[in-house]
Amino acid sequence: MGDEYPSLFRSEQMSLVQLIVPTEVAHDTIAELGELGNVEFKDLNPDVNPFQRSYVGEIRRVDEMARRVRFFSSQIEKDKDKVPIRPLYDSAPLLTVGPRAAHTMDELDVKLAEHETRLIQMNDSYQLLSERTKELVEARHVLRETAVFFERASGYQQDVRSSFDDSSAPLLQHDDREQQYSSSNIQFDLEFVAGTIERSRLPTFERVLWRVLRGNLYMNHTDIQEPFVDPTTGVETRKNVFIIFAHGDTLLAKIRKVAESMGATLYPIDANADKRAESMREVTARLEDLQVVLFNTGINRRAELVTIGESLASWQDVVRKEKLIYETLNLLIYDVRRKTLIAEGWCPTRDIPMIQVALRHATEESGTNVPPILHDLKTNKTPPTFNRTNRFTEGFQTIMDAYGIASYQEVNPGLFAVITFPFLFAVMFGDIGHGFITFMSAAIMILLERRLLKADLGEIFGMFFFGRYIILMMGLFSMYTGLLYNDIFSKSLHLFASGWSWPEDPGNQTVTAIPNGHTYIFGLDPGWHGADNALLFTNSYKMKMSIVLGVVHMTFALCLQVPNHLRFKRYTDIWTNFVPQMIFLQSIFGYLVVCIIYKWTIDWETSPTGPPSLLNMLISMFLSPGTVDPDTQLYRGQSTVQVILLGLAFVCVPWMLIAKPYLEWKEMQKIHGQGYIGLGTDEAPRDISDTVMEGEEEGNGRAVVEAMEEEHEQHDFGEVVIHQVIHTIEFCLGCISHTASYLRLWALSLAHAQLSEVLWTMTIEGVLGMSGVFGIIAILLMGVVWFILTVGILCVMEGLSAFLHALRLHWVEANSKHYEAGGYEFAPLSFASLDEN
Amino acid sequence: MSSSLPTLFILAIVLALMACAWFFTPKGPQQTLIRTSFMLSLACCYLMWMVTYLAQVHPLERPRKAFVPE
């Protein structure tokens, strides 16, 4: 079956290879193999602490570079305007292999450090300048507001002077006389403190001051309209300007202390209006200067980020690759005798020539003429499972691998899932229109494949895009099943001659169609569309179809056991496991399927007996074997046949339970009797830990081997019996439950059809009769609503639901019949797969 | 007169097509995949068609409509 090429039928053949790599070429060799993506390296230093490995220093340096690159990318992200990052496929490649590699890496290290220091410096100065600007803006506000206070207060002062005209206030009078000669300046002998404080703290501030100073103050405050935005965090704060008048140094000191403790900022304001005007001018000038400097710093910083953005993608790539290369280098052993590094790994046997070419290429690149050597090792260890997939099969293989990775060289269910999965989906989804929408959406994704592969699609759409070929097949099969169910957006197509004729003259209220001798050639007869008892017929049809498809699918899955038994040379398993399971399944459910099909081929109108209910027939086959009511028998001799089949099924149960353990036991007796010859040759691949194998390989003393052997036998036999019991029970009970489980094919297709019909009835059908402009508008609107709901509910929601159930059928019902899934996945060192993360 | 015989004819045709798929798929890395897919699709599509056809050859129910005067 296509032996020259490996196929998806089972895992590719893997070999354990040993690479002997001279130390000079090591880095370049690993880089080359990483680009190839074909080798999975084993850890040859499992006991070594990660901090003691050979290449720790290099990894640390690369980590430092990675940190710097991360810092750059976070700075670029934070910047408000988008900084363009040149994508990787567009950037000039950085050579990290070859003789100049070390030099390139050193250069890169230095460059990154430089960029980092510059960027940090610019950030700091920007921050500083922003704070300074904020302070100056506040100062300006304070100056402005206090000017208002003073102007207002000068107005009051006229009143104050006039009311305090007696000699009981000598000080004031004295001062007044002095001030009479300086009319330009409005002097206060009350000193003051001015500043800003957050609006929310203002009431508390006032209260505290009042209490502390016992009311010996005069405070005035106004709001600052514009909020202050903190440049680093972007948080807005609202502040107020306050000015507090008090007399006496102690009071002023107290005010200052309270203000500081409440987080207010104090500004030195002069009482003299001219001086205030001067400071205002000064502040404004400084503010303008600062704005200019800030602007320039911003421009410089942005220029720096743009320069970084040019090469950021290639730096990220290099840093990631180097880290991976050094981590892989840490997995190798240094052979002191030969002064080379030794690597061991798994690779597909077919790819060994490719790997050798890559090794030679690496040697040429680095300029030495000592090539690495590749050995093929013989081993008992189980290789990883590798299925080579292409764009098309990748999706299907992934969904089957999600259940479990196939054991090495086991039959791979992913191959068959390419067709059976979309088919079972389509049975539940069958509608030509919905299938077409699904097909077209997948086709669009596939046509735009190249562009979409490079773009970042987000999680949800990314998942749909990953499964685009699955969706394509699902849409295709859905159109086929839609044709068979004769359902296009809940309407029927009338493509061929119908088998039902409607009588012209209705006698009563209900009309019954008359069969006219045709059978509708392809699909469900459109005569059923709109009939009252349509569901009666379609339910019976779909349920029986589900059982037929289910039993066929399970039989197919069961047969997949046989190649496994043959490949792993478990010939006895064929007739201890496979044959009784097949007989059990067929004698009950295979018989049911045969009866279903037979019952359909009989014309019950011309038959002497009446049509039996198949479900009752099956139940009474078990409950009262041997007795069949002759009025509702399906065929002559039915009771005898059923008894025989029942007997067969019953015989299979002890067959499954006993045959295999008995054979194993006989085997063990034979080995016991013959001494310890043939250790492990007749046993199925057993689970042995690595230490035991190594012990055997290194020739441990006989006594140890004997003890192990005996323990193994005891252990093995009990295990075999238990395993067989579980297996038998699971299979027999599973047969029944899984067969019934396939009825979900009926259930979901019924739900889909009903939903589709309801949607039509509730949207478009109501507005179809309307005429005139209003009618047209109504139809258009309803049409849009109908389409959106069709796509959203019927295609997406129902589609996801059917996807899930089809997957379940594959995972539980089909895989339990043959799949062992005991393998581990081949995870090669591959730089290409890094980009996908 | 509707009968179930057409299913046998179509079965023969489908089996012939499956044999063609087995023998005439070009050798190459995708041979197994193409062959399996073709044969499985043919089998599945035939099975579903056969069931649909057989269910309607001698139906036990007749469609019934409540007569709505036009």
Side-chain angles (χ1 to χ4, degrees):
Chain A
M1 211 177 172
D3 273 328
E4 303 88 21
Y5 291 95
S7 69
L8 267 187
F9 185 60
R10 31 168 67 106
S11 156
E12 272 197 36
Q13 199 167 35
M14 310 289 281
S15 6
L16 187 65
V17 293
Q18 189 182 60
L19 292 169
I20 303 182
V21 182
T23 332
E24 315 88 62
V25 206
H27 176 271
D28 296 352
T29 314
I30 304 288
E32 197 69 39
L33 290 176
E35 294 286 341
L36 206 56
N38 266 330
V39 184
E40 179 182 349
F41 286 95
K42 282 171 53 164
D43 190 359
L44 294 172
N45 304 319
D47 311 321
V48 179
N49 189 312
F51 298 108
Q52 290 168 350
R53 297 197 185 219
S54 358
Y55 290 88
V56 173
E58 278 84 350
I59 291 189
R60 221 170 267 157
R61 192 173 81 148
V62 174
D63 264 340
E64 187 66 17
M65 299 207 292
R67 182 192 62 80
R68 293 201 175 108
V69 169
R70 271 197 308 270
F71 171 65
F72 296 148
S73 64
S74 72
Q75 287 293 304
I76 288 185
E77 246 175 86
K78 266 201 265 181
D79 203 48
K80 271 174 286 185
D81 306 315
K82 198 153 179 347
V83 177
I85 301 184
R86 184 182 280 261
L88 189 57
Y89 55 85
D90 214 7
S91 319
L94 269 174
L95 272 177
T96 51
V97 294
R100 296 189 47 80
H103 181 69
T104 319
M105 286 304 282
D106 288 335
E107 251 181 34
L108 186 63
D109 201 5
V110 165
K111 202 194 297 190
L112 288 178
E114 267 177 24
H115 276 293
E116 188 190 24
T117 37
R118 268 209 298 268
L119 205 56
I120 293 183
Q121 238 173 31
M122 278 195 269
N123 280 351
D124 286 341
S125 58
Y126 193 87
Q127 178 121 348
L128 206 62
L129 292 171
S130 308
E131 275 174 21
R132 206 66 67 66
T133 317
K134 197 170 75 146
E135 280 174 19
L136 285 176
V137 170
E138 274 184 28
R140 196 173 58 178
H141 279 289
V142 171
L143 279 171
R144 234 185 269 150
E145 302 303 326
T146 49
V148 174
F149 289 151
F150 283 119
E151 276 168 43
R152 247 191 287 152
S154 73
Y156 293 154
Q157 184 154 50
Q158 317 286 346
D159 307 329
V160 168
R161 260 209 257 151
S162 54
S163 54
F164 271 78
D165 233 343
D166 24 283
S167 51
S168 56
L171 251 109
L172 268 172
Q173 259 182 343
H174 184 68
D175 277 293
D176 278 348
R177 257 187 260 120
E178 278 190 2
Q179 278 164 26
Q180 273 170 10
Y181 305 118
S182 51
S183 53
S184 55
N185 297 345
I186 300 170
Q187 295 253 333
F188 271 80
D189 52 347
L190 291 179
E191 283 131 355
F192 58 90
V193 172
T196 58
I197 187 172
E198 256 182 68
R199 203 165 293 175
S200 48
R201 298 237 181 104
L202 192 58
T204 328
F205 186 46
E206 270 186 292
R207 233 172 287 139
V208 171
L209 278 176
W210 192 261
R211 286 214 192 104
V212 167
L213 303 175
R214 277 164 248 211
N216 284 328
L217 79 159
Y218 171 70
M219 179 166 171
N220 206 338
H221 59 88
T222 36
D223 296 346
I224 300 182
Q225 301 297 353
E226 311 90 51
F228 289 97
V229 181
D230 188 351
T232 42
T233 56
V235 175
E236 288 187 349
T237 41
R238 301 194 125 79
K239 294 202 168 181
N240 284 25
V241 177
F242 63 86
I243 181 164
I244 306 173
F245 295 92
H247 186 62
D249 284 331
T250 28
L251 287 180
L252 288 171
K254 276 197 199 153
I255 295 175
R256 286 208 183 88
K257 273 211 198 106
V258 172
E260 269 167 36
S261 73
M262 295 237 54
T265 345
L266 299 176
Y267 291 94
I269 306 285
D270 206 297
N272 191 323
D274 280 340
K275 292 227 183 85
R276 277 206 306 273
E278 207 183 292
S279 346
M280 180 64 128
R281 276 195 296 273
E282 210 183 290
V283 163
T284 322
R286 268 171 60 195
L287 204 55
E288 275 170 18
D289 286 339
L290 264 182
Q291 303 274 32
V292 170
V293 175
L294 208 56
F295 182 70
N296 283 340
T297 316
I299 298 262
N300 281 347
R301 182 168 174 271
R302 192 176 161 76
E304 182 80 17
L305 284 179
V306 168
T307 328
I308 293 178
E310 281 282 304
S311 342
L312 188 65
S314 72
W315 291 341
Q316 278 170 336
D317 185 51
V318 165
V319 157
R320 252 194 328 220
K321 275 192 203 167
E322 287 296 306
K323 175 127 191 245
L324 211 55
I325 293 177
Y326 282 117
E327 278 173 355
T328 315
L329 281 172
N330 271 343
L331 301 175
L332 313 183
I333 301 186
Y334 185 66
D335 186 354
V336 193
R337 270 184 298 133
R338 289 175 253 181
K339 299 218 179 7
T340 57
L341 286 167
I342 302 198
E344 253 181 44
W346 294 104
C347 73
T349 315
R350 252 188 98 206
D351 288 340
I352 290 187
M354 235 192 326
I355 296 178
Q356 283 173 329
V357 167
L359 292 177
R360 247 177 291 140
H361 188 233
T363 331
E364 283 164 17
E365 283 275 306
S366 69
T368 62
N369 38 16
V370 189
I373 307 176
L374 190 142
H375 278 310
D376 205 341
L377 298 177
K378 294 258 176 289
T379 174
N380 274 342
K381 298 202 181 74
T382 324
T385 312
F386 178 54
N387 284 308
R388 208 182 288 264
T389 53
N390 53 27
R391 281 183 309 195
F392 178 69
T393 51
E394 192 186 0
F396 298 102
Q397 189 63 42
T398 311
I399 59 176
M400 295 312 279
D401 274 348
Y403 176 82
I405 307 284
S407 305
Y408 182 62
Q409 296 276 298
E410 185 189 25
V411 169
N412 170 31
L415 172 65
F416 307 103
V418 171
I419 296 294
T420 56
F421 179 78
F423 178 70
L424 288 181
F425 171 90
V427 174
M428 293 189 266
F429 194 72
D431 185 305
I432 304 176
H434 302 147
F436 182 71
I437 295 178
T438 316
F439 179 76
M440 284 316 288
S441 56
I444 294 176
M445 279 198 283
I446 292 175
L447 287 174
L448 299 177
E449 206 171 43
R450 269 206 212 126
R451 200 175 353 138
L452 287 173
L453 271 172
K454 291 199 199 112
D456 177 24
L457 296 168
E459 232 183 285
I460 297 184
F461 186 66
M463 254 197 289
F464 280 107
F465 180 71
F466 184 75
R468 58 198 181 279
Y469 285 102
I470 308 181
I471 301 179
L472 186 79
M473 298 299 284
M474 292 183 340
L476 205 56
F477 274 105
S478 299
M479 288 200 279
Y480 176 77
T481 53
L483 212 55
L484 277 176
Y485 288 154
N486 212 344
D487 194 354
I488 173 166
F489 296 128
S490 81
K491 300 286 161 216
S492 278
L493 294 173
H494 201 129
L495 295 172
F496 312 101
S498 168
W500 300 103
S501 318
W502 292 98
E504 285 299 330
D505 206 311
N508 333 321
Q509 290 294 80
T510 55
V511 188
T512 314
I514 307 171
N516 57 21
H518 299 144
T519 315
Y520 196 74
I521 317 175
F522 197 84
L524 210 56
D525 200 306
W528 286 103
H529 183 73
D532 289 338
N533 57 350
L535 276 184
L536 197 61
F537 175 72
T538 47
N539 280 351
S540 156
Y541 151 64
K542 284 183 182 174
M543 283 169 112
K544 290 181 180 167
M545 179 169 72
S546 309
I547 299 291
V548 171
L549 289 177
V551 173
V552 170
H553 192 216
M554 284 198 288
T555 312
F556 179 71
L558 200 59
C559 292
L560 287 180
Q561 265 189 25
V562 179
N564 282 344
H565 294 320
L566 291 176
R567 169 60 66 124
F568 297 131
K569 306 214 182 344
R570 307 189 287 233
Y571 302 114
T572 49
D573 269 14
I574 295 181
W575 63 271
T576 55
N577 266 351
F578 170 68
V579 171
Q581 282 177 350
M582 185 59 97
I583 295 182
F584 186 84
L585 180 65
Q586 299 308 323
S587 62
I588 304 180
F589 298 105
Y591 174 64
L592 178 63
V593 167
V594 167
C595 287
I596 291 176
I597 297 182
Y598 181 65
K599 184 177 168 190
W600 274 333
T601 59
I602 300 184
D603 189 355
W604 291 102
E605 302 198 353
T606 58
S607 147
T609 53
S613 156
L614 289 175
L615 194 55
N616 290 343
M617 180 199 85
L618 192 68
I619 295 176
S620 59
M621 174 171 151
F622 277 87
L623 290 184
S624 47
T627 50
V628 172
D629 186 359
D631 284 332
T632 54
Q633 70 174 10
L634 191 55
Y635 54 92
R636 249 178 342 158
Q638 188 177 359
S639 45
T640 333
V641 171
Q642 288 191 184
V643 167
I644 296 177
L645 287 175
L646 202 60
L648 272 177
F650 271 126
V651 159
C652 288
V653 178
W655 185 354
M656 278 190 265
L657 271 175
I658 298 179
K660 185 159 171 197
Y662 174 68
L663 285 177
E664 294 267 333
W665 183 73
K666 266 196 16 188
E667 234 9 87
M668 283 170 197
Q669 296 293 75
K670 203 165 51 157
I671 294 179
H672 227 89
Q674 290 176 358
Y676 303 109
I677 313 170
L679 173 73
T681 48
D682 292 298
E683 284 174 69
R686 52 187 177 146
D687 234 32
I688 311 177
S689 66
D690 265 358
T691 47
V692 173
M693 282 296 272
E694 270 166 15
E696 290 177 6
E697 283 169 31
E698 288 174 18
N700 282 350
R702 238 182 164 206
V704 180
V705 175
E706 286 172 23
M708 290 239 172
E709 169 90 35
E710 239 173 310
E711 228 184 334
H712 267 272
E713 281 175 21
Q714 217 104 343
H715 198 53
D716 257 5
F717 186 64
E719 216 176 75
V720 168
V721 170
I722 293 178
H723 182 86
Q724 203 60 17
V725 169
I726 294 176
H727 204 63
T728 310
I729 297 178
E730 193 181 59
F731 181 78
C732 296
L733 292 180
C735 256
I736 308 172
S737 84
H738 293 168
T739 309
S741 174
Y742 274 95
L743 284 171
R744 70 188 68 222
L745 295 174
W746 156 65
L748 261 94
S749 88
L750 174 67
H752 189 93
Q754 291 299 298
L755 260 178
S756 175
E757 199 179 305
V758 163
L759 182 65
W760 178 269
T761 324
M762 291 188 119
T763 52
I764 297 192
E765 200 177 79
V767 295
L768 269 182
M770 295 193 197
S771 56
V773 178
F774 181 67
I776 298 180
I777 297 178
I779 291 183
L780 278 175
L781 276 178
M782 272 309 188
V784 169
V785 168
W786 171 85
F787 185 74
I788 293 177
L789 287 178
T790 298
V791 170
I793 298 182
L794 285 167
C795 288
V796 173
M797 188 190 85
E798 278 282 313
L800 284 173
S801 171
F803 184 99
L804 178 102
H805 285 284
L807 196 58
R808 176 250 154 73
L809 283 177
H810 278 75
W811 280 359
V812 178
E813 274 75 18
N815 277 357
S816 64
K817 304 279 179 300
H818 74 277
Y819 201 39
E820 287 162 36
Y824 62 102
E825 202 177 1
F826 178 57
L829 173 73
S830 165
F831 295 145
S833 65
L834 279 182
D835 295 331
E836 285 165 26
N837 288 344
Chain B
M1 199 45 229
S2 55
S3 86
S4 349
L5 278 185
T7 52
L8 291 175
F9 296 146
I10 305 290
L11 175 65
I13 297 177
V14 166
L15 285 175
L17 282 173
M18 283 169 81
C20 285
W22 180 276
F23 290 114
F24 295 133
T25 324
K27 279 199 206 292
Q30 308 300 336
Q31 187 192 28
T32 320
L33 178 67
I34 298 177
R35 215 158 42 175
T36 318
S37 306
F38 255 121
M39 294 172 72
L40 264 181
S41 320
L42 280 170
C44 292
C45 294
Y46 168 73
L47 201 57
M48 196 164 167
W49 171 82
M50 177 198 83
V51 166
T52 315
Y53 188 84
L54 279 181
Q56 298 183 97
V57 170
H58 300 292
L60 291 169
E61 298 289 330
R62 298 179 182 191
R64 213 175 44 231
K65 267 192 212 178
F67 178 64
V68 177
E70 286 290 318

